[in-house]
């Protein structure tokens, strides 16, 4: 697999690229099935599939029972591309116009606010909508308070536009913190409402799936773990039996022999402690490499770890090549992927892996790899 990746790096263009491993996506979905065999899976592919490309991710995850997106527009884009799966809009509609689009495109939607309920009550007769009623069990972001359950259900049963029964869902605020008591409180709160409910139930994001078996319920909503990434700050996806999907790489475009005392990059904050080789790789924050990655953040040159030095610029980073005296222009540089977990880079850049994969920019060429991909256009989509 690594040889295949390197071969692709020998293509003509030197810029940063993200190889998306479709087999790893399918593997991670299967891993979730093993963890929760009795639950259905709503694969969350919002924000362009966490930066991996929503459509290609959807094609690789046809085995999922539904897809989850944040916005109506994201659901419409999948429908226009021919995706016929159930699609759930996790933020729901927020205007009468969006409600019309939800119905036209056959999207399921989350109901979390009284303003949405009023729009539903005023909607003309027509196609009915599948709804997930969202209860705020303590995150205090989206959802109705538990005490509102009875009244909302009564009003929903009077809405011609709503298909009954509706689902009931909540979202966990701290499931990634194993010792945080908030999750147990949220689960108890949800349970009390669920006892009055006869439809499907959904609670768990990736952290809930991995750490809180009591949260599995009828429908799982995995996001980050589908991409092979751990939702916990103290582990990597591999430790949970997941395979990283994104391999973000570039190449060296310069190798310079610098002298002791030479300052590297903007601001000249990093100074060579001895005569040494410094490599320049064609990636920067203009590609989505985090500008706040600190000196010492690992990068793989020819498969070996070397430290980042100096500031990250828009198009380039510098790396310490003292341990790689034979490195040359054109050599492959891995920023994160199967051999260098994005979780490690996120920690070094004081952020979370979600942000890193989401923030890859359009300049980064996306290349598909894997058997699932070979059934589509020459396995390559940019
Ligand atoms: C984004 C999202 C998820 C997926 O969360 P992960 O931590 O990526 O698994 C699940 N449910 C809702 C409501 C979300 O917004």
């Amino acid at each position: 697999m690594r040889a295949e990746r390197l071969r692709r790096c020998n293509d003509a263009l030197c810029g940063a690229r993200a190889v998306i491993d479709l087999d790893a996506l399918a593997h991670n979905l299967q891993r979730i099935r093993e963890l929760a065999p009795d639950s259905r899976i709503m694969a969350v592919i919002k924000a362009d599939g966490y930066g991996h490309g929503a459509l290609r991710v959807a094609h690789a995850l046809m085995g999922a029972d539904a897809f989850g997106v944040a916005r109506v527009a994201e659901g419409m884009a999948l429908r226009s591309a021919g995706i016929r799966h159930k699609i759930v809009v996790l933020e729901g509609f927020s205007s009468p116009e969006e409600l019309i689009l939800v119905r036209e495109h056959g999207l399921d939607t989350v109901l979390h606010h009284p303003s949405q309920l009023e729009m539903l009550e005023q909607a003309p007769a027509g196609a009915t909508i599948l709804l997930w009623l969202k209860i705020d069990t303590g995150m205090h972001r989206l959802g109705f308070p538990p005490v509102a359950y009875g009244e909302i259900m009564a009003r929903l049963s009077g809405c011609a536009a709503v298909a009954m029964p509706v689902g009931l869902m909540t979202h966990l605020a701290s499931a990634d913190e194993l010792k945080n008591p908030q999750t147990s409180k949220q689960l108890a709160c949800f349970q009390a409402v669920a006892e009055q409910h006869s439809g499907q139930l959904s609670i768990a994001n990736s952290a809930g799936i991995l750490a809180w078996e009591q949260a599995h319920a009828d429908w799982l909503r995995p996001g980050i773990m589908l991409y092979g990434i751990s939702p916990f700050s103290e582990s990597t996806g591999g430790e949970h039996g997941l395979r990283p999907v994104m391999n973000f790489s570039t190449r060296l475009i310069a190798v310079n022999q610098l002298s002791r005392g030479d300052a590297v990059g903007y601001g000249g904050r990093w100074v060579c402690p001895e005569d040494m080789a410094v490599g320049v790789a064609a990636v920067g924050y203009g590609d989505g490499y985090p500008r706040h990655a600190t000196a010492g953040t690992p990068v793989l040159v020819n498969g070996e770890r070397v430290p980042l030095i100096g500031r990250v610029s828009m198009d380039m980073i510098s790396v310490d090549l003292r341990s790689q005296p034979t490195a040359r222009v054109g050599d492959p540089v891995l920023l994160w992927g199967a051999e260098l977990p994005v979780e490690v880079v996120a920690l070094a850049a004081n952020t979370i892996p979600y942000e890193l994969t989401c923030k890859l920019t359009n300049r980064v060429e996306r290349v598909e790899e894997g058997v699932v991909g070979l059934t589509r256009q020459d396995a390559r989509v940019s």
Side-chain angles (χ1 to χ4, degrees):
M1 175 130 20
R2 180 157 149 205
E4 166 69 1
R5 218 169 275 136
L6 294 182
R7 205 171 317 121
R8 285 180 184 279
C9 282
N10 285 333
D11 290 354
L13 295 172
C14 289
R17 61 175 54 188
V19 177
I20 306 300
D21 184 343
L22 303 172
D23 292 342
L25 276 167
H27 167 90
N28 296 334
L29 182 67
Q30 186 53 35
R31 176 85 186 111
I32 299 168
R33 291 256 183 246
E34 286 164 19
L35 287 166
D38 300 327
S39 303
R40 281 191 269 179
I41 299 178
M42 181 194 305
V44 179
I45 59 173
K46 62 195 181 187
D48 202 23
Y50 290 46
H52 297 67
L55 189 56
R56 74 167 60 84
V57 171
H59 279 293
L61 295 180
M62 279 297 160
D65 303 292
F67 294 119
V69 295
R71 309 271 162 79
V72 174
E74 292 177 317
M76 288 168 56
L78 291 173
R79 283 280 181 261
S80 318
I83 302 293
R84 295 278 148 258
H85 267 57
K86 262 172 113 49
I87 298 176
V88 182
V89 181
L90 294 167
E91 284 179 5
F93 56 93
S94 43
S95 68
E97 293 76 19
E98 276 197 334
L99 175 54
I100 291 170
L101 292 168
V102 160
R103 295 174 93 181
E104 271 180 16
H105 291 87
L107 304 174
D108 300 355
T109 181
V110 168
L111 183 82
H112 60 79
H113 198 267
S115 59
Q116 294 174 312
L117 191 51
E118 283 161 26
M119 291 178 223
L120 278 174
E121 286 170 334
Q122 281 153 28
T128 56
I129 308 165
L130 285 157
L131 282 186
W132 284 95
L133 173 58
K134 185 163 189 175
I135 301 295
D136 174 17
T137 54
M139 180 155 179
H140 298 131
R141 194 178 59 179
L142 293 185
F144 293 96
V147 292
Y149 173 80
E151 186 215 321
I152 307 289
M153 286 303 292
R155 283 173 65 182
L156 283 177
S157 55
C159 278
V162 175
M164 286 300 198
V166 303
L168 190 74
M169 70 177 286
T170 193
H171 194 50
L172 299 174
S174 308
D176 59 322
E177 296 171 19
L178 306 183
K179 299 208 171 87
N180 192 321
Q182 188 179 14
T183 302
S184 303
K185 283 190 200 141
Q186 285 196 265
L187 291 174
C189 177
F190 188 71
Q191 183 57 33
V193 183
E195 272 161 17
Q196 313 160 56
H197 191 76
S198 58
Q200 305 270 293
L201 307 175
S202 177
I203 308 169
N205 57 3
S206 297
I209 293 165
L210 288 166
W212 305 87
E213 207 183 329
Q214 324 85 291
H216 285 181
D218 299 311
W219 282 86
L220 309 168
R221 304 192 308 272
I224 198 77
M225 71 186 295
L226 285 169
Y227 308 96
I229 300 169
S230 170
F232 311 110
S233 59
E234 56 287 332
S235 61
T236 61
E239 292 164 49
H240 301 285
L242 302 167
R243 278 170 50 189
V245 172
M246 179 185 286
N247 289 278
F248 182 32
S249 67
T250 186
R251 293 205 254 182
L252 290 178
I253 58 168
V255 175
N256 301 318
Q257 289 300 324
L258 302 185
S259 305
R260 187 161 87 94
D262 285 347
V264 176
Y266 285 119
R269 292 296 193 285
W270 200 91
V271 177
C272 295
E274 58 184 316
D275 293 359
M276 60 185 282
V278 168
V280 179
V283 71
Y285 62 81
D287 301 288
Y289 191 82
R291 201 181 81 84
H292 295 290
T294 51
T297 301
V299 161
L300 297 194
V301 172
N302 294 316
E304 303 292 335
R305 275 192 189 213
V306 302
L308 177 80
I309 59 178
R311 282 196 192 146
V312 172
S313 35
M314 186 183 291
D315 314 306
M316 284 166 268
I317 58 172
S318 295
V319 295
D320 176 345
L321 289 180
R322 278 178 288 180
S323 64
Q324 286 266 338
T326 59
R328 292 184 308 133
V329 167
D331 283 355
V333 179
L334 185 77
L335 291 324
W336 60 71
E339 280 94 26
L340 177 59
V342 65
E343 292 92 332
V344 171
V345 182
L347 272 184
N350 194 25
T351 183
I352 52 174
Y354 296 74
E355 186 182 29
L356 293 186
T357 64
C358 275
K359 275 196 170 168
L360 276 212
T361 67
N362 279 339
R363 183 164 71 179
V364 179
E365 183 195 14
R366 266 70 160 182
V367 180
E368 294 177 5
E369 155 185 285
V371 178
V372 187
L374 291 178
T375 59
R376 302 181 56 216
Q377 331 160 3
D378 191 27
R380 174 180 274 249
V381 176
S382 190

